Amino acid sequence: MTKRPDALDQSRDALAAREIVLTGHVQGVGFRPHVYRVATGLGLRGWVQNRMGEVYARVEGPGAAVRAFLRDVVDKAPPLSKPTLTQCVETEPQQISGFEILDSDEGSDASIFVPADTSVCQDCLREMRAPGDRRYRYPFINCTQCGPRYTLIEAMPYDRPNTTMAGFPLCEACRAEYEDPTNRRFHAEPVACPDCGPSLCFSRSGAPEIADTEEALTAAVAALAAGEILAIRGIGGYHLICDAGNEASVDRLRQRKRRPDKPFAIMVPQRGQDDLEAVRALVAVSEAAGAALATPHRPIVLMPRRATAQIAPSVAPDCGELGLFLPYSPLHVLLLDALDRPLVATSANLSGEPVLIAPAEVEDRLSGVADAILHHTRPIARPADDPVLREIAGHITPIRLGRGNAPVEQALPFPLPMTALALGSQMKATVALGFGDRAVISPHIGEMDGPRSLQVLEEVSASLQGLYGEAASLLLCDAHPGYTTHRWARKQDLPVVPIYHHHAHASALAAEHPGDTGRWLTFAWDGVGLGEDGMLWGGDVLWGRPGGWRRVARFRPFRLTGGDRAGREPWRSAAALCWAEGRDLPHPPDGIEIARHAWETGINTFETTAAGRIFDAAACIVTGRTHGSFEAQGPMRLESLAAGVTGQATALPVSRIDAELWEVDWAPLLAGLSDRSQEPARRAADFHASMAQLIPDLARKLAPDFPHAQIGLTGGVFQNARLVQDILDRTSDMETPLRLHRRVPCNDAAISFGQLVEYAAQAGGQDS
């Protein structure tokens, strides 16, 4: 049994002193007051100080108490922190009186960790719901264990003057909490109350503005209950919100946002002992998914929908899953407490652009979308869209990085020779800042098709460099010269190193598994990316390791018409496969004759090996849907169709086309896909089985020439949970381990990280 501090025999225990350094996630999580409480509870003297992301402390007192401190300061750390005791130096006692928390040292150059945003904690929720509390129903309540961080920090160290809360002077009561080391709001930088903090404002065109917080909240609740669409400002930007059970409202939102099919996320009330009762009414919740939903960053989690789910049909048409999340801000909780129903909560943006964060932008750009707007007066420093996770083969896997789980910190397997900024790809863009052996990956930015996306990319790139105190000396970009990020990089006054798209994919995966040595055999399957031979790859196998990838197999190339339109017009992929085999497209769209002529004459066509386009083609042939309104719409429908059906694999021929490259022929797939005597679900399941069986078949065929220690799966195609599970089932007897992404998405959100890894290896980290 551990003795109480006053029970320690101080008379017989020699005095000791230690100076320590704690690194990791120790800022913005109440770590300094934790050190204070541990030290004073043990009767120790000394001080603690934040130094740009690291915590320095000195303690002195009886040796037993000092040893207990060194143990408890790590073992009993606050839930949001992840401390590591990296230095402990024995020194002479100085007879310091008392223990104090020193002001942050802004001049040090220690390793900075920027804390992420977290959901409102249970302690704050209890206060917010208590009528006698001074923060009763206050939408911006927070403490050291909850609330915004990344989205309000303007500079490091993380102190109030360096946040967007600097413009809200603390009242006397809040300041007393903020300065009291024993209070859970000690240096909770966003701390505020109704007397001194941010407030709500309800705005409707043609009506007087409602600036009182309680009245504004009441007006918002009434508008949502009446079936209206609201733009509501949250932590990382605005949402467009409406009643998820009101078909007319959801359909109106689709028409106004010009988003005809893509599923909407749903924010669900917290009910029941574990807060998941309302979630279970809509979806089947596994243990892993339930745990992910309840984490402090409150992600959107994709889960199988129940046939009895009481939501509007147009929330997620033709989808076997729903994306649900629990409320994470006090404002969200207040809305759901009042309405007690699921709400559609989709990013307030247009056409894949970054989420909007500024009131003026929302008033201007969403005036025809939202019926009214609920603003608040706490500025947002930078956007952070909601993160999206999916359970794939029993593991919760990121699909999109965002508020709460980004910026993501990843160790680089090789140190960088200089600070580099990696600009990612054209789709699902993120940026990554690399310095030393550290990589910091930004939240999701968006598709790089419009000027606002580029503007936000520039802003996020600048803010990451500012926050971490690292100015880039080099830019890394995708090798495709037509990508927005590539063109932008070439205009900057910095050296530029292009990285091949699929080399970045493979290197990102390898870096997630630093303990795996030896050569990789990595299947890189996605839409398209420029390859070393000038062809658009996407269905290829790379052998090697970061800095030394070599393509050893591919799908048989096929010619597509229409350029970038192929991604939204899957009939083009289906037609390319059918025409190459002398077949007619089963469901030809209007105007196909023009495309057929272009294909035959090679006008406006390009060759590709992309597995993603083969999935597009399969979805088109099976479902008859020739057009899509968002990327991967067809493959998502194909995966849903295959649910619950055991597929039979069709063997795909593999042949050597030269001494160094093997080729897989997709042609045998067409007969089964086109067989209308079979139900669409059967054809969908058989297609998945055939693509899955190719992984072990090809790996075994390649092994004699290309020995490998592990098999990797990377690229957006492997977001398909059915495909991955089929692959795992069919590789269970193989000795070579199968590796998937766990920390960063397998889609193009990982490209920026992979660019850093690949460049570090090329620059001398590892021989090829």
Side-chain angles (χ1 to χ4, degrees), residues 116-117 149-152 234-239 328 347 354-357 380-387 400-407 442-445 452 456 460:
D117 306 306
R149 302 289 192 266
Y150 170 77
T151 52
L152 59 70
I235 287 178
Y238 283 79
H239 283 111
Y328 53 83
S347 304
V355 62
L356 296 169
I357 64 172
I380 299 172
R382 63 191 61 80
D385 216 332
D386 293 321
R400 183 172 75 192
L401 304 175
R403 167 211 40 82
N405 69 356
S442 78
H444 171 80
I445 294 172
R452 186 168 183 276
V456 171
V460 170

Side-chain angles (χ1 to χ4, degrees), residues 523-760:
F523 290 76
W525 288 5
D526 61 1
V528 293
L530 185 67
E532 293 172 280
D533 59 357
M535 186 185 293
L536 292 176
W537 294 3
D540 303 87
V541 183
L542 303 181
W543 178 72
R545 53 191 177 186
W549 296 109
R550 171 180 161 193
R551 182 169 70 159
V552 296
R554 70 181 188 189
F555 275 108
R556 170 186 159 192
F558 51 96
R559 282 189 295 122
L560 286 173
T561 63
D564 291 340
R565 286 184 293 169
R568 299 290 177 90
E569 299 179 11
W571 70 265
R572 295 181 181 275
S573 297
L577 301 189
C578 289
W579 293 340
E581 288 299 297
R583 291 171 170 265
D584 291 328
L585 182 65
H587 311 279
D590 293 339
I592 194 171
E593 297 81 7
I594 298 173
R596 180 69 182 259
H597 177 71
W599 183 85
E600 290 174 340
T601 57
I603 299 172
N604 191 25
T605 64
F606 62 89
E607 277 203 309
T608 183
T609 62
R613 296 292 172 256
I614 295 174
F615 271 82
D616 286 343
C620 176
I621 295 171
V622 170
T623 68
R625 298 190 181 187
T626 58
H627 292 71
S629 62
F630 64 93
E631 185 194 18
Q633 181 177 354
M636 286 173 59
R637 174 62 177 153
L638 197 69
E639 182 185 357
S640 296
L641 277 174
V645 181
T646 301
Q648 298 296 317
T650 295
L652 301 182
V654 179
S655 59
R656 189 191 290 271
I657 61 172
D658 62 35
E660 297 184 346
L661 187 63
W662 293 73
E663 185 172 278
V664 179
D665 191 358
W666 38 258
L669 294 169
L670 296 178
L673 291 170
S674 305
D675 183 3
R676 298 192 189 184
S677 69
Q678 297 292 327
E679 291 295 321
R682 163 61 59 192
R683 287 182 274 160
D686 289 351
F687 172 76
H688 280 84
S690 302
M691 297 295 277
Q693 186 60 46
L694 178 60
I695 302 294
D697 288 352
L698 192 52
R700 291 186 179 103
K701 190 171 288 289
L702 293 171
D705 291 335
F706 307 105
H708 47 275
Q710 49 271 325
I711 300 170
L713 306 180
T714 188
V717 166
F718 296 112
Q719 294 174 137
N720 184 321
R722 168 58 184 262
L723 175 67
V724 172
Q725 187 60 59
D726 275 2
I727 293 169
L728 289 174
D729 291 344
R730 293 166 186 275
T731 56
S732 59
D733 62 340
M734 296 180 65
E735 293 183 5
T736 308
L738 195 70
R739 301 301 189 209
L740 296 93
H741 288 273
R742 293 285 180 253
R743 287 268 295 160
V744 297
C746 63
N747 59 42
D748 281 5
I751 292 293
S752 60
F753 174 52
Q755 288 167 344
L756 289 174
V757 178
E758 181 67 9
Y759 170 71

Side-chain angles (χ1 to χ4, degrees), residues 154-478:
E154 295 188 312
M156 297 297 282
Y158 175 46
D159 289 325
R160 192 179 181 93
N162 293 334
T163 73
T164 61
M165 290 297 292
F168 296 92
L170 291 168
C171 66
E172 185 175 338
C174 285
R175 180 161 294 282
E177 295 172 327
Y178 183 80
E179 295 177 349
D180 179 4
T182 66
N183 193 288
R184 81 172 201 278
R185 292 193 171 92
F186 176 77
H187 275 268
E189 308 308 342
V191 68
C193 75
D195 293 334
C196 64
S199 58
L200 297 177
C201 173
F202 186 83
S203 171
R204 185 191 295 275
S205 179
E209 194 174 79
I210 301 174
D212 176 80
T213 292
E214 188 61 37
E215 292 179 11
L217 185 60
T218 300
V221 169
L224 289 170
E228 293 190 287
I229 299 165
L230 294 192
I232 297 180
R233 198 181 199 191
I235 287 178
Y238 283 79
H239 283 111
L240 287 166
I241 292 181
C242 70
D243 182 352
N246 187 324
E247 174 64 17
S249 297
V250 179
D251 184 62
R252 193 163 60 250
L253 175 57
R254 287 206 175 279
Q255 293 178 31
R256 292 180 182 179
K257 196 180 179 185
R258 287 171 286 183
R259 182 170 164 170
D261 305 298
K262 192 173 184 180
F264 286 136
I266 307 171
M267 183 166 60
V268 184
Q270 295 172 256
R271 291 195 207 128
Q273 195 167 21
D274 63 355
D275 293 335
L276 300 180
E277 181 182 304
V279 173
R280 291 191 182 92
L282 300 178
V283 295
V285 185
S286 69
E287 183 178 349
L293 280 167
T295 55
H297 61 274
R298 290 290 195 268
I300 297 169
V301 182
L302 305 179
M303 293 167 287
R305 70 189 297 167
R306 295 191 185 279
T308 56
Q310 297 296 304
I311 59 165
S314 60
V315 167
D318 292 330
C319 286
E321 293 183 321
L322 298 176
L324 271 55
F325 67 101
L326 297 174
Y328 53 83
S329 78
L331 175 57
H332 293 146
V333 173
L334 288 168
L335 288 171
L336 286 170
D337 280 355
L339 291 160
D340 194 29
R341 69 189 75 170
L343 300 174
V344 164
T346 185
S347 304
N349 57 6
L350 296 173
S351 304
E353 290 184 342
V355 62
L356 296 169
I357 64 172
E361 285 183 318
V362 171
E363 295 275 1
D364 177 51
R365 306 193 71 192
L366 297 182
S367 59
V369 180
D371 295 307
I373 305 172
L374 185 62
H375 298 293
H376 65 67
T377 57
R378 183 174 63 201
I380 299 172
R382 63 191 61 80
D385 216 332
D386 293 321
V388 180
L389 308 179
R390 190 182 194 196
E391 187 172 359
I392 299 177
H395 293 272
I396 297 298
T397 305
I399 301 297
R400 183 172 75 192
L401 304 175
R403 167 211 40 82
N405 69 356
V408 175
E409 294 253 358
Q410 282 287 102
L412 293 169
F414 326 109
L416 287 162
M418 64 186 76
T419 298
L421 179 70
L423 301 171
S425 188
Q426 185 75 3
M427 307 290 287
K428 298 176 176 59
T430 61
V431 297
L433 182 67
F435 48 98
D437 62 355
R438 297 175 65 190
V440 181
I441 312 164
S442 78
H444 171 80
I445 294 172
E447 319 306 349
M448 298 305 300
D449 295 328
R452 186 168 183 276
S453 297
L454 182 58
Q455 175 191 341
V456 171
L457 181 137
E458 291 174 330
E459 292 170 354
V460 170
S461 298
S463 71
L464 281 180
Q465 293 175 78
L467 289 175
Y468 285 87
E470 294 283 346
S473 302
L474 179 77
L475 297 176
L476 307 176
C477 66
D478 195 284

